[in-house]
Amino acid sequence: MTDTTPTIQQNKVIVFDTTLRDGEQSPGATMHLREKIDLAHQLSRLGVDVIEAGFAIASPGDFEAIKTVSDEVQGPVICSLARAMEADIVRAGEALASAKRKRIHTFIATSPVHLTKKLMKTQAEVVQIAYDAVKLACTFTDDVEFSCEDASRSDLDYLVEVINAAIEAGARTINLPDTVGYTMPWQYEQYFEYLRAKIKNPQGIILSAHCHNDLGLAVANTLAAVRAGARQIECTVNGIGERAGNCSLEEVVMALQTRKDFFGLTTGIVSRELCRTSRLVTHITGLRVQRNKAIVGANAFAHEAGIHQDGVLKARDTYEIMRSEDVGWTGDSMVLGKHSGRHAVKACLQELGWSNLQDAIVDKIFARFKALCDKKKEIFNDDLEALAQDELGLDGMPFVLEHISFYGGDHAIPTASVHMTTPDGSVSDSAVGNGPVDAVFQTLQRITNIAVTLDEYSIEAITGGTDALGFVSVSVNADNRKWRGRAADTDIIIASAKAFVNAINKIKKARDFAAQDADSK
Ligand code: KIV
Ligand code: ZN
């Protein structure tokens, strides 16, 4: 086995991205396989050191995603989560088999509340389980991470005991999650200081911070851990994750970069890829970031007050601590016009980071670009990016929307007619609803035979102007889960239909996957 564990460099912080695992645990953020692969490629371009691609035993979909990311994505270490259980660890090892650099991340809870109320185990039993789990994981890879779930509510001396057992068994990274977002920066910093002083072989072990945002402190807590010697930070793009989310990658990375004078540390992140990665995550999950979100929010670099505008015009650093271009703001730059050809569109897509698109996909994006030019005077980077993301989301999907028409008005019954390609061939149908969007949704449910309840619906313009692309995001409920769909079009009813089809495709894929899995057993 070649040892591919990232090495400790005192001045470098390892960025461990868990958007595909903890991030996907956000309600409704389920991603399908192709989307996970696209995101993993983008995370690699972004320069993360470790990609936690999923939780192999959790579902056949997670297993497949880890396996495909392991096959296709080069550069970062690919990691799977596994409870401290034999079946989980073996499954993680199988999913990671083809990865050039692989990590198994195994965990067990250590806090009194988890031990007594969830695991029903004694402290001594948990120490032994942790030791055995790490030992087994080490038979698959040298790179094993061990996490004490709910570490921030665990007894410090007990933590030392569990961690030392994990280190003795071979763990190289020790993660101390603030699982419920409970800790305070000063407290978390002291935890790390104390543990660093007490654990075995502190020079050879990478300490890691993993913070949830229940009190809005995930980034602050992560930075506090870094000050106390943590050299791995676990985060998600846009801060998505369980409940209030995880530590936001873009915020923590830019804090380290902007305040290098204070921390004296670097990361391998290519910061100008941050905005693009954020937009991709938004597009894939349908979870929009708030306008005033640091780094990637629409207002992050906007100056409204006259006094600020005046200052920035005189010298940017009067009110700006970062340059928008350093985090990849492309702004409203116009990229192409109606006379641009396929070659120019392809070159532009490449510049936007879509460098390995298949020709057939470029053709489809180009056709949509031409159609868009007929409707919209100016095409911006964001427009082209939305078309590309939309088109990639359609690739290999069971249901494809071919044509749609609708009829409404204040004296008419809203009616929609839809023609679709389905796994059973071409189907057309129509239905009425209490508005045009509802009529479209009713028709799509009849055609696909997938019944859902609509929980959320939102619409936003991608760029300014009445001819802007409308971005629709829906959240529906089916099979006791939330599913999100999103799509863009200059016509908001068509964008709504596409967003709905996007969610329905996810449900269909998951059902097909579960059926295949049941057949193979
Ligand atoms: O928050 C948490 O404790 C986790 C662990 C599984 C690392 O996500
Ligand atoms: Zn977590």
Side-chain angles (χ1 to χ4, degrees):
M1 221 160 18
T2 340
D3 187 355
T4 55
T5 318
T7 47
I8 308 178
Q9 291 167 265
Q10 278 321 318
N11 297 333
K12 185 180 172 213
V13 176
I14 294 166
V15 177
F16 175 110
D17 180 90
T18 182
T19 311
L20 290 167
R21 199 277 298 170
D22 227 348
E24 208 208 9
Q25 288 175 220
S26 303
T30 330
M31 309 175 208
H32 60 67
L33 182 62
R34 197 61 248 165
E35 291 172 331
K36 288 185 180 178
I37 309 307
D38 289 341
L39 180 53
H41 279 296
Q42 178 57 27
L43 290 170
S44 167
R45 276 194 288 272
L46 177 65
V48 307
D49 301 281
V50 185
I51 296 177
E52 189 165 50
F55 188 174
I57 206 161
S59 71
D62 261 45
F63 181 86
E64 203 55 34
I66 299 166
K67 195 166 168 307
T68 319
V69 172
S70 301
D71 288 341
E72 286 190 21
V73 180
Q74 316 293 332
V77 172
I78 311 299
C79 170
S80 169
L81 186 67
R83 283 167 302 181
M85 291 181 179
E86 186 180 337
D88 280 43
I89 294 166
V90 171
R91 193 83 175 135
E94 286 167 0
L96 292 165
S98 64
K100 288 218 171 61
R101 306 176 69 203
K102 50 177 151 267
R103 172 177 298 187
I104 294 180
H105 173 193
T106 186
F107 73 98
I108 188 162
T110 48
S111 64
V113 59
H114 279 239
L115 257 65
T116 55
K117 298 193 179 148
K118 184 182 85 173
L119 298 176
M120 324 291 182
K121 301 254 183 260
T122 64
Q123 288 193 333
E125 281 170 326
V126 167
V127 173
Q128 187 62 47
I129 293 169
Y131 179 87
D132 293 344
V134 173
K135 265 268 174 243
L136 177 62
C138 287
T139 61
F140 293 93
T141 170
D142 287 313
D143 188 349
V144 174
E145 170 169 339
F146 175 73
S147 284
C148 306
E149 189 189 11
D150 207 14
S152 57
R153 292 193 299 166
S154 305
D155 174 75
L156 266 176
D157 290 318
Y158 178 56
L159 275 182
V160 173
E161 201 182 324
V162 184
I163 292 171
N164 279 341
I167 293 174
E168 210 176 290
R172 306 277 284 275
T173 302
I174 297 291
N175 185 35
L176 299 164
D178 181 28
T179 305
V180 290
Y182 175 76
T183 199
M184 292 288 132
W186 306 269
Q187 209 181 3
Y188 203 46
E189 187 173 347
Q190 279 170 8
Y191 254 62
F192 275 80
E193 274 164 2
Y194 187 83
L195 291 169
R196 217 151 64 99
K198 296 277 177 166
I199 61 171
K200 282 188 183 150
N201 180 23
Q203 308 315 325
I205 298 298
I206 297 172
L207 288 182
S208 168
H210 176 114
C211 297
H212 282 266
N213 206 29
D214 299 66
L215 293 172
L217 291 169
V219 172
N221 286 333
T222 303
L223 292 170
V226 167
R227 256 172 69 90
R231 286 296 173 266
Q232 175 175 285
I233 53 177
E234 303 200 354
C235 35
T236 60
V237 176
N238 295 345
I240 64 169
E242 283 275 358
R243 307 180 307 277
N246 287 55
C247 170
S248 144
L249 183 149
E250 56 283 0
E251 293 179 19
V252 73
V253 162
M254 286 315 289
L256 291 172
Q257 186 166 313
T258 308
R259 295 307 312 274
K260 193 157 187 276
D261 61 316
F262 181 77
F263 290 100
L265 296 166
T266 56
T267 68
I269 294 294
V270 181
S271 64
R272 56 179 189 284
E273 291 290 334
L274 284 171
C275 280
R276 190 201 327 279
T277 316
S278 161
R279 287 196 297 268
L280 183 61
V281 169
T282 296
H283 203 86
I284 287 176
T285 61
L287 297 171
R288 312 266 309 151
V289 296
Q290 80 229 35
R291 294 188 75 80
N292 62 331
K293 163 104 172 54
I295 319 296
V296 295
N299 293 352
F301 292 90
H303 299 278
E304 186 69 19
I307 206 165
H308 288 203
Q309 287 172 350
D310 179 55
V312 168
L313 287 174
K314 287 178 176 141
R316 281 173 75 162
D317 56 358
T318 51
Y319 287 100
E320 283 189 1
I321 56 165
M322 294 167 273
R323 296 184 323 161
S324 56
E325 54 272 35
D326 290 346
V327 301
W329 270 101
T330 49
D332 285 352
S333 53
M334 194 174 68
V335 285
L336 298 162
K338 66 194 274 186
H339 301 295
S340 311
R342 184 184 180 283
H343 187 71
V345 169
K346 188 172 176 189
C348 203
L349 285 165
Q350 275 167 350
E351 220 163 274
L352 287 169
W354 308 96
S355 41
N356 35 23
L357 293 178
Q358 290 162 354
D359 278 351
I361 301 273
V362 177
D363 289 344
K364 286 185 185 159
I365 298 170
F366 182 60
R368 289 190 63 181
F369 163 78
K370 279 291 178 193
L372 185 60
C373 289
D374 287 337
K375 297 182 186 160
K376 192 172 185 301
K377 280 200 302 283
E378 298 165 311
I379 310 291
F380 299 103
N381 283 333
D382 288 356
D383 295 322
L384 196 59
E385 200 166 75
L387 293 185
Q389 288 171 345
D390 244 22
E391 216 35 71
L392 284 165
L394 290 175
D395 198 25
M397 286 297 124
F399 297 111
V400 180
L401 191 63
E402 302 291 356
H403 301 293
I404 175 166
S405 58
F406 33 84
Y407 171 75
D410 57 359
H411 277 74
I413 298 175
T415 311
S417 299
V418 175
H419 177 71
M420 286 183 99
T421 305
T422 75
D424 303 321
S426 287
V427 183
S428 300
D429 206 344
S430 50
V432 296
N434 58 21
V437 172
D438 186 45
V440 167
F441 286 3
Q442 299 303 335
T443 316
L444 291 169
Q445 291 182 77
R446 282 165 66 108
I447 294 180
T448 58
N449 221 356
I450 293 182
V452 301
T453 48
L454 180 67
D455 287 342
E456 285 168 40
Y457 172 89
S458 73
I459 181 154
E460 214 175 308
I462 290 186
T463 49
T466 50
D467 61 356
L469 275 180
F471 181 93
V472 172
S473 174
V474 297
S475 168
V476 300
N477 208 302
D479 306 337
N480 292 322
R481 277 174 72 181
K482 254 179 190 282
W483 307 84
R484 283 185 194 273
R486 71 296 175 266
D489 200 284
T490 47
D491 185 309
I492 55 171
I493 312 286
I494 296 177
S496 308
K498 288 180 180 167
F500 199 67
V501 173
N502 182 239
I504 283 188
N505 271 326
K506 289 182 184 170
I507 301 170
K508 170 83 175 131
K509 282 249 181 195
R511 286 186 186 172
D512 288 352
F513 220 99
Q516 264 171 26
D517 198 51
D519 283 351
S520 67
K521 279 183 182 149

PDB file of all heavy atoms in Angstrom, residues 24-36:
ATOM      1  N   GLU A  24     -25.011  17.146   1.828  1.00  0.00           N
ATOM      2  CA  GLU A  24     -26.166  16.488   1.211  1.00  0.00           C
ATOM      3  C   GLU A  24     -27.215  16.129   2.257  1.00  0.00           C
ATOM      4  O   GLU A  24     -28.360  15.846   1.923  1.00  0.00           O
ATOM      5  CB  GLU A  24     -25.725  15.247   0.431  1.00  0.00           C
ATOM      6  CG  GLU A  24     -26.677  14.963  -0.726  1.00  0.00           C
ATOM      7  CD  GLU A  24     -26.745  13.508  -1.116  1.00  0.00           C
ATOM      8  OE1 GLU A  24     -26.197  12.665  -0.397  1.00  0.00           O
ATOM      9  OE2 GLU A  24     -27.376  13.225  -2.156  1.00  0.00           O
ATOM     10  N   GLN A  25     -26.806  16.160   3.541  1.00  0.00           N
ATOM     11  CA  GLN A  25     -27.783  15.884   4.599  1.00  0.00           C
ATOM     12  C   GLN A  25     -28.715  17.062   4.862  1.00  0.00           C
ATOM     13  O   GLN A  25     -29.605  16.962   5.695  1.00  0.00           O
ATOM     14  CB  GLN A  25     -27.047  15.455   5.882  1.00  0.00           C
ATOM     15  CG  GLN A  25     -26.461  14.054   5.768  1.00  0.00           C
ATOM     16  CD  GLN A  25     -25.606  13.614   6.954  1.00  0.00           C
ATOM     17  OE1 GLN A  25     -24.578  12.984   6.787  1.00  0.00           O
ATOM     18  NE2 GLN A  25     -26.016  13.954   8.152  1.00  0.00           N
ATOM     19  N   SER A  26     -28.524  18.193   4.157  1.00  0.00           N
ATOM     20  CA  SER A  26     -29.494  19.301   4.273  1.00  0.00           C
ATOM     21  C   SER A  26     -30.814  18.798   3.725  1.00  0.00           C
ATOM     22  O   SER A  26     -30.829  18.194   2.652  1.00  0.00           O
ATOM     23  CB  SER A  26     -29.131  20.477   3.360  1.00  0.00           C
ATOM     24  OG  SER A  26     -27.885  20.944   3.609  1.00  0.00           O
ATOM     25  N   PRO A  27     -31.924  19.091   4.407  1.00  0.00           N
ATOM     26  CA  PRO A  27     -33.202  18.625   3.882  1.00  0.00           C
ATOM     27  C   PRO A  27     -33.398  19.070   2.438  1.00  0.00           C
ATOM     28  O   PRO A  27     -33.254  20.247   2.124  1.00  0.00           O
ATOM     29  CB  PRO A  27     -34.228  19.287   4.813  1.00  0.00           C
ATOM     30  CG  PRO A  27     -33.458  19.587   6.058  1.00  0.00           C
ATOM     31  CD  PRO A  27     -32.040  19.835   5.651  1.00  0.00           C
ATOM     32  N   GLY A  28     -33.664  18.103   1.561  1.00  0.00           N
ATOM     33  CA  GLY A  28     -33.953  18.410   0.158  1.00  0.00           C
ATOM     34  C   GLY A  28     -32.736  18.601  -0.715  1.00  0.00           C
ATOM     35  O   GLY A  28     -32.862  18.841  -1.903  1.00  0.00           O
ATOM     36  N   ALA A  29     -31.532  18.462  -0.151  1.00  0.00           N
ATOM     37  CA  ALA A  29     -30.338  18.739  -0.976  1.00  0.00           C
ATOM     38  C   ALA A  29     -29.841  17.502  -1.723  1.00  0.00           C
ATOM     39  O   ALA A  29     -28.716  17.491  -2.204  1.00  0.00           O
ATOM     40  CB  ALA A  29     -29.218  19.298  -0.107  1.00  0.00           C
ATOM     41  N   THR A  30     -30.681  16.485  -1.834  1.00  0.00           N
ATOM     42  CA  THR A  30     -30.239  15.257  -2.517  1.00  0.00           C
ATOM     43  C   THR A  30     -29.717  15.565  -3.913  1.00  0.00           C
ATOM     44  O   THR A  30     -30.331  16.312  -4.654  1.00  0.00           O
ATOM     45  CB  THR A  30     -31.435  14.284  -2.671  1.00  0.00           C
ATOM     46  OG1 THR A  30     -32.302  14.498  -1.590  1.00  0.00           O
ATOM     47  CG2 THR A  30     -30.976  12.861  -2.786  1.00  0.00           C
ATOM     48  N   MET A  31     -28.568  14.981  -4.236  1.00  0.00           N
ATOM     49  CA  MET A  31     -27.986  15.216  -5.570  1.00  0.00           C
ATOM     50  C   MET A  31     -27.964  13.870  -6.282  1.00  0.00           C
ATOM     51  O   MET A  31     -27.737  12.845  -5.645  1.00  0.00           O
ATOM     52  CB  MET A  31     -26.554  15.724  -5.441  1.00  0.00           C
ATOM     53  CG  MET A  31     -26.419  16.892  -4.492  1.00  0.00           C
ATOM     54  SD  MET A  31     -24.674  17.343  -4.270  1.00  0.00           S
ATOM     55  CE  MET A  31     -24.740  18.042  -2.621  1.00  0.00           C
ATOM     56  N   HIS A  32     -28.166  13.881  -7.584  1.00  0.00           N
ATOM     57  CA  HIS A  32     -28.047  12.599  -8.267  1.00  0.00           C
ATOM     58  C   HIS A  32     -26.614  12.396  -8.735  1.00  0.00           C
ATOM     59  O   HIS A  32     -25.781  13.301  -8.653  1.00  0.00           O
ATOM     60  CB  HIS A  32     -29.110  12.380  -9.343  1.00  0.00           C
ATOM     61  CG  HIS A  32     -29.113  13.386 -10.438  1.00  0.00           C
ATOM     62  ND1 HIS A  32     -28.092  13.499 -11.323  1.00  0.00           N
ATOM     63  CD2 HIS A  32     -30.035  14.319 -10.768  1.00  0.00           C
ATOM     64  CE1 HIS A  32     -28.387  14.450 -12.166  1.00  0.00           C
ATOM     65  NE2 HIS A  32     -29.542  14.975 -11.850  1.00  0.00           N
ATOM     66  N   LEU A  33     -26.358  11.167  -9.224  1.00  0.00           N
ATOM     67  CA  LEU A  33     -24.971  10.764  -9.465  1.00  0.00           C
ATOM     68  C   LEU A  33     -24.192  11.754 -10.332  1.00  0.00           C
ATOM     69  O   LEU A  33     -23.106  12.195  -9.969  1.00  0.00           O
ATOM     70  CB  LEU A  33     -24.951   9.360 -10.095  1.00  0.00           C
ATOM     71  CG  LEU A  33     -23.574   8.780 -10.358  1.00  0.00           C
ATOM     72  CD1 LEU A  33     -22.800   8.613  -9.057  1.00  0.00           C
ATOM     73  CD2 LEU A  33     -23.689   7.433 -11.061  1.00  0.00           C
ATOM     74  N   ARG A  34     -24.775  12.115 -11.494  1.00  0.00           N
ATOM     75  CA  ARG A  34     -24.031  12.994 -12.418  1.00  0.00           C
ATOM     76  C   ARG A  34     -23.708  14.325 -11.737  1.00  0.00           C
ATOM     77  O   ARG A  34     -22.620  14.883 -11.903  1.00  0.00           O
ATOM     78  CB  ARG A  34     -24.888  13.202 -13.673  1.00  0.00           C
ATOM     79  CG  ARG A  34     -24.191  13.725 -14.892  1.00  0.00           C
ATOM     80  CD  ARG A  34     -23.084  12.797 -15.404  1.00  0.00           C
ATOM     81  NE  ARG A  34     -21.760  13.397 -15.219  1.00  0.00           N
ATOM     82  CZ  ARG A  34     -20.619  12.745 -15.291  1.00  0.00           C
ATOM     83  NH1 ARG A  34     -20.581  11.454 -15.505  1.00  0.00           N
ATOM     84  NH2 ARG A  34     -19.471  13.364 -15.112  1.00  0.00           N
ATOM     85  N   GLU A  35     -24.647  14.828 -10.955  1.00  0.00           N
ATOM     86  CA  GLU A  35     -24.416  16.114 -10.276  1.00  0.00           C
ATOM     87  C   GLU A  35     -23.275  15.980  -9.267  1.00  0.00           C
ATOM     88  O   GLU A  35     -22.444  16.876  -9.129  1.00  0.00           O
ATOM     89  CB  GLU A  35     -25.695  16.561  -9.569  1.00  0.00           C
ATOM     90  CG  GLU A  35     -26.792  16.947 -10.546  1.00  0.00           C
ATOM     91  CD  GLU A  35     -28.136  17.209  -9.876  1.00  0.00           C
ATOM     92  OE1 GLU A  35     -28.419  16.621  -8.815  1.00  0.00           O
ATOM     93  OE2 GLU A  35     -28.919  17.979 -10.439  1.00  0.00           O
ATOM     94  N   LYS A  36     -23.239  14.833  -8.567  1.00  0.00           N
ATOM     95  CA  LYS A  36     -22.156  14.637  -7.592  1.00  0.00           C
ATOM     96  C   LYS A  36     -20.797  14.598  -8.286  1.00  0.00           C
ATOM     97  O   LYS A  36     -19.819  15.142  -7.786  1.00  0.00           O
ATOM     98  CB  LYS A  36     -22.380  13.339  -6.813  1.00  0.00           C
ATOM     99  CG  LYS A  36     -23.524  13.425  -5.830  1.00  0.00           C
ATOM    100  CD  LYS A  36     -23.620  12.176  -5.000  1.00  0.00           C
ATOM    101  CE  LYS A  36     -24.770  12.294  -4.021  1.00  0.00           C
ATOM    102  NZ  LYS A  36     -24.978  11.111  -3.207  1.00  0.00           N
TER     103      LYS A  36
END
